[in-house]
Amino acid sequence: MKIGTRSKSTSMGKGQFSGKVALVTGGGSGIGRSASLLFARDGARVAVADINDSGSEETVRMVEQSGGKAFVVHADVSKAADVEAMVRATVKRFGRLDFAFNNAGIGGKGVTTVEHTEEDFDRTIAINVKGVWLGMKYEIPQMLEQGGGAIVNTSSIRGVGAFPRLAAYVASKHAVLGLTKVAALEYGKLGIRVNAVCPGVTVTPANERFWAQSPREKEDRIKIQPVGRFGQPDEIAAAAVWLCSDKASYVNGHGMIVDGGFVAK
Ligand SMILES: NC(=O)c1ccc[n+]([C@@H]2O[C@H](COP(=O)([O-])OP(=O)(O)OC[C@H]3O[C@@H](n4cnc5c(N)ncnc54)[C@H](O)[C@@H]3O)[C@@H](O)[C@H]2O)c1
Protein backbone atom coordinates (compact mmCIF):
# COMPACT_ATOMS: atom_id res chain seq x y z
CA MET A 1 0.00 0.00 0.00
CA LYS A 2 1.27 3.49 -0.85
CA ILE A 3 2.50 5.44 2.16
CA GLY A 4 0.03 8.16 3.02
CA THR A 5 -3.00 6.17 1.89
CA ARG A 6 -5.08 3.93 4.11
CA SER A 7 -6.71 0.56 3.64
CA LYS A 8 -10.38 0.14 4.56
CA SER A 9 -10.69 -0.68 8.26
CA THR A 10 -10.51 -4.42 8.88
CA SER A 11 -11.73 -6.60 11.72
CA MET A 12 -9.04 -6.82 14.43
CA GLY A 13 -9.49 -10.48 15.26
CA LYS A 14 -12.86 -10.82 16.94
CA GLY A 15 -13.02 -11.56 20.59
CA GLN A 16 -9.44 -11.02 21.78
CA PHE A 17 -10.99 -8.99 24.64
CA SER A 18 -13.96 -11.23 25.20
CA GLY A 19 -14.98 -11.08 28.90
CA LYS A 20 -12.80 -8.00 29.47
CA VAL A 21 -13.82 -4.50 30.50
CA ALA A 22 -12.32 -1.24 29.22
CA LEU A 23 -12.71 2.27 30.62
CA VAL A 24 -12.13 5.17 28.23
CA THR A 25 -11.99 8.80 29.40
CA GLY A 26 -12.77 11.46 26.84
CA GLY A 27 -14.86 8.72 25.23
CA GLY A 28 -17.47 11.16 23.97
CA SER A 29 -15.42 12.40 21.02
CA GLY A 30 -12.42 11.96 18.73
CA ILE A 31 -9.75 9.46 19.76
CA GLY A 32 -11.70 8.25 22.82
CA ARG A 33 -14.77 7.47 20.73
CA SER A 34 -12.68 5.51 18.23
CA ALA A 35 -10.98 3.61 21.05
CA SER A 36 -14.36 2.74 22.60
CA LEU A 37 -15.45 1.31 19.26
CA LEU A 38 -12.24 -0.66 18.78
CA PHE A 39 -12.27 -2.10 22.31
CA ALA A 40 -15.89 -3.14 21.76
CA ARG A 41 -15.19 -4.58 18.32
CA ASP A 42 -12.67 -6.89 19.98
CA GLY A 43 -15.22 -8.05 22.54
CA ALA A 44 -14.62 -5.75 25.55
CA ARG A 45 -17.48 -4.09 27.38
CA VAL A 46 -16.77 -0.38 27.57
CA ALA A 47 -17.35 2.39 30.12
CA VAL A 48 -17.46 5.66 28.19
CA ALA A 49 -16.48 8.51 30.53
CA ASP A 50 -16.65 12.20 29.67
CA ILE A 51 -18.02 15.53 30.85
CA ASN A 52 -19.94 15.70 27.60
CA ASP A 53 -22.83 13.29 28.20
CA SER A 54 -24.42 13.69 24.77
CA GLY A 55 -21.07 12.82 23.16
CA SER A 56 -20.80 9.74 25.37
CA GLU A 57 -24.38 8.74 24.58
CA GLU A 58 -23.58 8.90 20.87
CA THR A 59 -20.49 6.74 21.40
CA VAL A 60 -22.55 4.18 23.34
CA ARG A 61 -25.15 4.19 20.57
CA MET A 62 -22.42 3.53 17.98
CA VAL A 63 -20.94 0.69 20.08
CA GLU A 64 -24.36 -0.90 20.50
CA GLN A 65 -25.10 -0.51 16.81
CA SER A 66 -22.01 -2.55 16.04
CA GLY A 67 -23.14 -5.26 18.48
CA GLY A 68 -21.10 -4.25 21.51
CA LYS A 69 -21.91 -3.27 25.10
CA ALA A 70 -21.14 0.11 26.63
CA PHE A 71 -22.51 2.62 29.09
CA VAL A 72 -22.10 6.32 29.90
CA VAL A 73 -20.27 7.54 32.99
CA HIS A 74 -20.36 11.25 33.66
CA ALA A 75 -16.95 12.18 35.08
CA ASP A 76 -14.77 15.24 35.22
CA VAL A 77 -11.31 13.68 35.31
CA SER A 78 -9.87 16.63 37.24
CA LYS A 79 -12.09 15.82 40.24
CA ALA A 80 -11.07 12.99 42.56
CA ALA A 81 -14.63 12.20 43.65
CA ASP A 82 -15.76 11.88 40.00
CA VAL A 83 -12.84 9.64 39.06
CA GLU A 84 -13.31 7.38 42.09
CA ALA A 85 -17.03 7.12 41.28
CA MET A 86 -16.22 6.46 37.59
CA VAL A 87 -14.15 3.39 38.46
CA ARG A 88 -16.73 2.24 41.02
CA ALA A 89 -19.56 2.61 38.46
CA THR A 90 -17.60 0.61 35.89
CA VAL A 91 -17.02 -2.27 38.29
CA LYS A 92 -20.62 -2.13 39.51
CA ARG A 93 -21.93 -2.30 35.94
CA PHE A 94 -19.50 -4.78 34.35
CA GLY A 95 -17.91 -6.55 37.34
CA ARG A 96 -14.26 -5.75 36.62
CA LEU A 97 -11.72 -3.44 35.01
CA ASP A 98 -9.04 -4.78 32.69
CA PHE A 99 -8.03 -1.81 30.53
CA ALA A 100 -8.03 1.92 31.14
CA PHE A 101 -7.39 4.51 28.45
CA ASN A 102 -6.82 7.80 30.30
CA ASN A 103 -7.32 9.96 27.27
CA ALA A 104 -9.44 13.01 28.20
CA GLY A 105 -7.55 16.21 27.57
CA ILE A 106 -7.68 19.79 26.41
CA GLY A 107 -5.37 21.88 24.25
CA GLY A 108 -4.91 24.87 26.53
CA LYS A 109 -4.57 28.40 25.20
CA GLY A 110 -2.26 29.15 22.27
CA VAL A 111 -0.35 32.02 23.91
CA THR A 112 3.22 32.76 24.96
CA THR A 113 4.66 31.66 28.27
CA VAL A 114 4.25 35.19 29.60
CA GLU A 115 0.69 35.58 28.33
CA HIS A 116 -0.64 32.39 29.96
CA THR A 117 -3.04 33.21 32.77
CA GLU A 118 -2.83 31.31 36.03
CA GLU A 119 -6.37 30.10 35.47
CA ASP A 120 -5.65 28.63 32.02
CA PHE A 121 -2.38 27.08 33.19
CA ASP A 122 -4.04 25.48 36.21
CA ARG A 123 -6.98 24.18 34.16
CA THR A 124 -4.74 22.55 31.55
CA ILE A 125 -2.62 20.88 34.22
CA ALA A 126 -5.70 19.84 36.22
CA ILE A 127 -7.30 18.01 33.30
CA ASN A 128 -4.27 16.73 31.39
CA VAL A 129 -1.97 15.84 34.30
CA LYS A 130 -4.00 15.50 37.46
CA GLY A 131 -6.74 13.78 35.45
CA VAL A 132 -4.33 11.07 34.30
CA TRP A 133 -2.86 10.65 37.79
CA LEU A 134 -6.32 10.42 39.36
CA GLY A 135 -7.32 7.85 36.74
CA MET A 136 -4.40 5.62 37.66
CA LYS A 137 -4.88 6.26 41.39
CA TYR A 138 -8.33 4.65 41.30
CA GLU A 139 -7.89 2.18 38.43
CA ILE A 140 -4.73 0.49 39.75
CA PRO A 141 -6.17 -0.79 43.08
CA GLN A 142 -9.04 -2.42 41.19
CA MET A 143 -6.62 -4.03 38.73
CA LEU A 144 -4.39 -5.23 41.58
CA GLU A 145 -7.38 -6.87 43.20
CA GLN A 146 -8.01 -8.76 39.96
CA GLY A 147 -4.32 -9.69 39.46
CA GLY A 148 -3.47 -7.35 36.60
CA GLY A 149 -4.48 -5.02 33.80
CA ALA A 150 -3.18 -2.56 31.26
CA ILE A 151 -3.30 1.21 31.23
CA VAL A 152 -2.64 3.63 28.37
CA ASN A 153 -2.40 7.39 28.92
CA THR A 154 -2.67 9.95 26.14
CA SER A 155 0.36 12.17 25.79
CA SER A 156 1.23 13.87 22.49
CA ILE A 157 4.13 14.57 20.16
CA ARG A 158 4.17 17.71 22.33
CA GLY A 159 5.11 15.35 25.18
CA VAL A 160 8.43 14.59 23.50
CA GLY A 161 9.17 17.97 21.96
CA ALA A 162 8.15 21.58 22.44
CA PHE A 163 6.08 23.99 20.41
CA PRO A 164 5.92 27.76 20.89
CA ARG A 165 2.78 29.33 22.37
CA LEU A 166 1.72 26.11 24.07
CA ALA A 167 3.58 26.09 27.39
CA ALA A 168 0.83 24.61 29.55
CA TYR A 169 -0.08 21.92 27.02
CA VAL A 170 3.55 20.97 26.30
CA ALA A 171 4.32 20.81 30.03
CA SER A 172 1.21 18.73 30.66
CA LYS A 173 1.98 16.18 27.96
CA HIS A 174 5.62 15.81 29.10
CA ALA A 175 4.23 15.19 32.59
CA VAL A 176 1.91 12.46 31.28
CA LEU A 177 4.97 10.55 30.06
CA GLY A 178 6.62 10.99 33.47
CA LEU A 179 3.57 9.68 35.29
CA THR A 180 3.34 6.77 32.86
CA LYS A 181 6.94 5.71 33.41
CA VAL A 182 6.72 5.93 37.22
CA ALA A 183 3.57 3.80 37.35
CA ALA A 184 5.11 1.31 34.90
CA LEU A 185 8.07 0.83 37.24
CA GLU A 186 5.89 0.57 40.33
CA TYR A 187 3.32 -1.93 39.07
CA GLY A 188 5.04 -3.98 36.33
CA LYS A 189 5.88 -6.83 38.72
CA LEU A 190 2.30 -6.82 39.95
CA GLY A 191 0.86 -7.52 36.49
CA ILE A 192 -0.08 -4.03 35.36
CA ARG A 193 1.56 -2.56 32.27
CA VAL A 194 1.38 1.23 31.86
CA ASN A 195 2.13 2.88 28.53
CA ALA A 196 1.27 6.06 26.63
CA VAL A 197 0.35 7.08 23.11
CA CYS A 198 1.80 10.26 21.65
CA PRO A 199 -0.44 11.31 18.76
CA GLY A 200 0.59 13.71 16.06
CA VAL A 201 -1.96 16.09 14.56
CA THR A 202 -5.20 14.11 14.33
CA VAL A 203 -8.46 14.91 12.57
CA THR A 204 -10.83 15.41 15.50
CA PRO A 205 -13.85 17.72 15.89
CA ALA A 206 -11.91 20.41 17.80
CA ASN A 207 -9.19 20.56 15.14
CA GLU A 208 -11.77 20.58 12.37
CA ARG A 209 -13.52 23.55 13.96
CA PHE A 210 -10.20 25.36 14.17
CA TRP A 211 -9.25 24.57 10.57
CA ALA A 212 -12.66 25.71 9.32
CA GLN A 213 -11.64 29.17 10.52
CA SER A 214 -8.03 28.91 9.31
CA PRO A 215 -7.95 26.78 6.13
CA ARG A 216 -4.56 28.22 5.23
CA GLU A 217 -3.11 26.97 8.49
CA LYS A 218 -4.47 23.51 7.70
CA GLU A 219 -2.83 23.44 4.25
CA ASP A 220 0.48 24.63 5.66
CA ARG A 221 0.40 21.96 8.37
CA ILE A 222 -0.41 19.18 5.92
CA LYS A 223 2.54 20.19 3.74
CA ILE A 224 4.99 19.49 6.57
CA GLN A 225 3.59 16.02 7.38
CA PRO A 226 5.97 13.28 6.16
CA VAL A 227 3.04 11.16 4.93
CA GLY A 228 1.21 14.13 3.40
CA ARG A 229 -1.82 13.99 5.68
CA PHE A 230 -2.98 14.15 9.31
CA GLY A 231 -3.81 11.13 11.42
CA GLN A 232 -7.30 9.71 11.87
CA PRO A 233 -8.66 9.04 15.38
CA ASP A 234 -8.85 5.30 14.73
CA GLU A 235 -5.14 5.21 13.88
CA ILE A 236 -4.30 6.57 17.33
CA ALA A 237 -6.93 4.41 19.02
CA ALA A 238 -5.55 1.29 17.32
CA ALA A 239 -2.17 1.91 18.99
CA ALA A 240 -3.82 2.35 22.41
CA VAL A 241 -5.83 -0.83 21.99
CA TRP A 242 -2.75 -2.75 20.83
CA LEU A 243 -0.82 -1.54 23.88
CA CYS A 244 -3.59 -3.02 26.06
CA SER A 245 -3.55 -6.33 24.22
CA ASP A 246 -1.45 -9.43 24.98
CA LYS A 247 0.46 -8.72 21.78
CA ALA A 248 2.13 -5.93 23.76
CA SER A 249 2.84 -8.16 26.78
CA TYR A 250 6.49 -7.03 27.09
CA VAL A 251 5.82 -3.34 26.40
CA ASN A 252 5.85 -1.27 29.58
CA GLY A 253 6.68 2.37 30.35
CA HIS A 254 6.68 3.22 26.65
CA GLY A 255 5.43 6.37 24.91
CA MET A 256 4.36 5.21 21.46
CA ILE A 257 4.61 8.00 18.90
CA VAL A 258 1.86 7.75 16.27
CA ASP A 259 2.48 10.72 14.01
CA GLY A 260 3.22 9.60 10.46
CA GLY A 261 6.91 10.25 11.13
CA PHE A 262 6.58 13.92 12.10
CA VAL A 263 9.04 13.87 15.02
CA ALA A 264 11.52 11.82 13.00
CA LYS A 265 12.41 14.98 11.08
N1 LIG B 1 -6.33 15.73 18.09
C1 LIG B 1 -5.02 15.90 18.12
O1 LIG B 1 -4.43 16.43 17.16
C2 LIG B 1 -4.22 15.42 19.30
C3 LIG B 1 -2.84 15.37 19.20
C4 LIG B 1 -2.10 14.94 20.30
C5 LIG B 1 -2.73 14.58 21.48
N2 LIG B 1 -4.09 14.66 21.54
C6 LIG B 1 -4.72 14.27 22.82
O2 LIG B 1 -5.67 13.26 22.55
C7 LIG B 1 -6.64 13.24 23.60
C8 LIG B 1 -8.02 13.15 23.01
O3 LIG B 1 -8.31 14.32 22.33
P1 LIG B 1 -9.09 14.38 20.95
O4 LIG B 1 -8.14 14.86 19.95
O5 LIG B 1 -9.83 13.12 20.72
O6 LIG B 1 -10.04 15.62 21.29
P2 LIG B 1 -11.61 15.75 21.51
O7 LIG B 1 -11.81 17.15 21.94
O8 LIG B 1 -12.31 15.26 20.29
O9 LIG B 1 -11.92 14.75 22.72
C9 LIG B 1 -11.57 15.03 24.05
C10 LIG B 1 -12.71 14.62 24.96
O10 LIG B 1 -12.28 14.84 26.30
C11 LIG B 1 -13.40 15.36 27.01
N3 LIG B 1 -12.96 16.11 28.18
C12 LIG B 1 -12.39 17.34 28.24
N4 LIG B 1 -12.20 17.71 29.50
C13 LIG B 1 -12.64 16.69 30.28
C14 LIG B 1 -12.72 16.48 31.68
N5 LIG B 1 -12.30 17.40 32.55
N6 LIG B 1 -13.22 15.30 32.13
C15 LIG B 1 -13.66 14.37 31.26
N7 LIG B 1 -13.65 14.53 29.94
C16 LIG B 1 -13.13 15.67 29.45
C17 LIG B 1 -14.12 16.25 26.02
O11 LIG B 1 -15.45 16.49 26.40
C18 LIG B 1 -13.98 15.43 24.74
O12 LIG B 1 -15.09 14.58 24.56
C19 LIG B 1 -6.38 14.50 24.44
O13 LIG B 1 -5.68 14.15 25.61
C20 LIG B 1 -5.51 15.35 23.51
O14 LIG B 1 -4.69 16.23 24.21
C21 LIG B 1 -4.86 15.07 20.50
Side-chain angles (χ1 to χ4, degrees), residues 151-205:
I151 294 175
V152 176
N153 301 319
T154 301
S155 176
S156 167
I157 52 170
R158 306 302 172 209
V160 294
F163 197 74
R165 300 176 67 80
L166 268 186
Y169 185 75
V170 168
S172 75
K173 293 302 186 179
H174 275 71
V176 169
L177 285 182
L179 287 172
T180 300
K181 289 176 192 172
V182 171
L185 297 182
E186 289 172 345
Y187 297 100
K189 282 194 182 129
L190 299 172
I192 302 175
R193 291 182 302 104
V194 186
N195 292 291
V197 278
C198 303
V201 181
T202 307
V203 182
T204 51

Side-chain angles (χ1 to χ4, degrees), residues 19-83:
K20 305 283 191 191
V21 175
L23 165 63
V24 179
T25 72
S29 178
I31 294 165
R33 172 172 290 164
S34 288
S36 301
L37 286 161
L38 290 184
F39 274 122
R41 192 187 300 173
D42 276 5
R45 288 161 290 162
V46 186
V48 179
D50 207 298
I51 40 168
N52 173 5
D53 291 343
S54 60
S56 299
E57 279 157 17
E58 176 62 8
T59 301
V60 167
R61 198 187 57 74
M62 290 167 79
V63 166
E64 286 172 349
Q65 226 169 31
S66 63
K69 284 200 174 74
F71 84 114
V72 173
V73 192
H74 179 90
D76 178 341
V77 296
S78 68
K79 297 198 167 115
D82 278 24
V83 178

